[in-house]
Amino acid sequence: MPRLGDDIDDYCSSCQRTTDHSIVVMMGEEVGKTRCRTCGSEHKYRKNKGGSKEMSAQEAFQKVLSSVSGQMPEGTKKPRKRG
């Protein structure tokens, strides 16, 4: 059972991703509000739902691989060079 002040993962709409939060309001045995430990914003507990789905492990791997090897994954356009 979570307690006031405990750390919990939740979706932060300010950071637009899942981050560490501290519980600041309890309503009975349920979490009421959380405070983002990254940006400090307080919001109702979203049960770590919201925003867009984060990258899968395979998508993250392909992104890192393309940045290291200089290749772009399929379906993406190379940026135009200005000069």
Side-chain angles (χ1 to χ4, degrees), residues 4 23 39 47 81:
L4 192 64
I23 299 171
C39 71
K47 299 179 182 168
K81 291 185 179 180

Side-chain angles (χ1 to χ4, degrees), residues 26-82:
M26 292 291 298
M27 297 188 311
E29 293 187 11
E30 300 291 320
V31 177
K33 276 189 168 185
T34 59
R35 177 182 295 130
C36 178
R37 295 183 66 204
T38 302
C39 71
S41 67
E42 285 188 19
H43 54 79
K44 68 179 183 175
Y45 181 53
R46 297 186 175 100
K47 299 179 182 168
N48 204 14
K49 296 178 183 175
S52 60
K53 182 181 174 188
E54 293 187 17
M55 279 190 268
S56 69
Q58 182 65 31
E59 291 169 331
F61 176 77
Q62 290 299 326
K63 184 175 180 178
V64 170
L65 184 63
S66 69
S67 70
V68 172
S69 66
Q71 299 174 358
M72 298 298 282
E74 294 180 21
T76 60
K77 296 179 181 178
K78 290 186 177 183
R80 294 182 187 175
K81 291 185 179 180
R82 296 182 183 180

